[in-house]
Amino acid sequence: MKIGLYFGTFNPIHVGHLAIANHMAENADLDQVWLVVTPLSPFKKKKTLLANHHRLEMVYLATETYDKLQPSDIEFKLPEPNYTVNTLVHLEEKFPQHEFSLLMGEDNLKSFHKWKNYEAILANYDLYVYPRISDGTIPEQFEQHPKVKRVAAPIMEISSTMIRRSIAENKNIRPLLDAKVWQFIDEMNFYK
């Protein structure tokens, strides 16, 4: 099976994440998309994150009606901080029957050369890149690379940061969240 890996802290998962993941599952040559909940991104500060199990629960709630979308806690068992290259090696060992690729926004492709062992990732995995509005340019080495596959997906400019801030300010952001995710956040009094 061809699996696209969509990494994120999903703090919280929102309709933008779902739209991108579902679009990739339906329109790229992938059988499934796994939403990999990252415990600690090397680029994010831990204090802003909900507990791992709460973020994973929200991903479960958001994806339960999508056949091609699957939550993954694979990084919970790996040393922190989580580097994608290490996760990929672990997944290859655990699931040798699958072919893995990465899903990333154009903004991440612009800084991909800063990732740990990015050359090894690019040599062994396809990158499915969806459009994002962001500053900077894509390094020339990635522009025509055969492993970099551009997917025309909707541009989603919804951020988890904006959602957390809006909840803290007592604004109604329910349309930006799956109904079950909103209910969970509300019942647990998160981000207040």
Side-chain angles (χ1 to χ4, degrees):
M1 225 179 354
K2 288 190 76 172
I3 309 293
L5 301 171
Y6 187 10
F7 289 86
T9 50
F10 301 113
N11 187 39
I13 187 169
H14 53 67
V15 295
H17 294 129
L18 290 172
I20 293 294
N22 187 67
H23 185 87
M24 296 302 238
E26 295 293 338
N27 295 289
D29 59 340
L30 300 169
D31 297 305
Q32 285 186 342
V33 170
W34 291 2
L35 289 89
V36 181
V37 181
T38 301
L40 177 61
S41 162
F43 304 107
K44 296 200 179 182
K45 291 180 172 50
K46 186 96 172 178
K47 67 180 171 63
T48 63
L49 290 182
L50 287 182
N52 295 344
H53 66 280
H54 290 314
R55 291 181 292 116
L56 181 65
E57 178 64 21
M58 288 190 285
V59 173
Y60 269 103
L61 291 170
T63 60
E64 64 186 359
T65 60
Y66 295 84
D67 294 339
K68 294 182 179 181
L69 305 184
Q70 300 295 321
S72 172
D73 65 354
I74 197 80
E75 289 197 329
F76 290 10
K77 302 160 186 82
L78 300 176
E80 292 182 9
N82 301 97
Y83 292 102
T84 303
V85 68
N86 299 344
T87 304
L88 289 166
V89 168
H90 182 75
L91 283 167
E92 291 285 344
E93 290 170 359
K94 191 170 168 92
F95 302 102
Q97 73 277 23
H98 294 325
E99 179 185 333
F100 293 101
S101 56
L102 295 180
L103 309 184
M104 70 171 60
E106 213 170 68
D107 52 332
N108 283 317
L109 185 61
K110 291 174 184 176
S111 61
F112 185 62
H113 60 284
K114 297 177 183 174
W115 289 28
K116 182 180 178 183
N117 296 355
Y118 79 91
E119 301 97 333
I121 296 172
L122 202 52
N124 296 296
Y125 302 93
D126 288 334
L127 306 183
Y128 289 85
V129 179
Y130 55 89
R132 291 290 303 264
I133 297 171
S134 61
D135 294 330
T137 56
I138 295 169
E140 205 172 302
Q141 63 183 328
F142 305 137
E143 275 292 353
Q144 302 298 321
H145 198 285
K147 292 280 196 177
V148 176
K149 300 174 184 312
R150 299 221 177 224
V151 179
I155 296 176
M156 305 303 291
E157 289 301 309
I158 303 169
S159 78
S160 295
T161 303
M162 180 268 295
I163 289 172
R164 292 192 306 273
R165 188 178 326 115
S166 296
I167 292 171
E169 294 170 359
N170 214 23
K171 293 181 179 167
N172 181 356
I173 46 75
R174 286 199 323 248
L176 302 179
L177 298 166
D178 173 88
K180 289 181 180 174
V181 171
W182 165 251
Q183 186 177 2
F184 183 71
I185 289 171
D186 193 44
E187 286 172 1
M188 298 295 283
N189 215 24
F190 288 145
Y191 309 121
K192 299 270 180 182

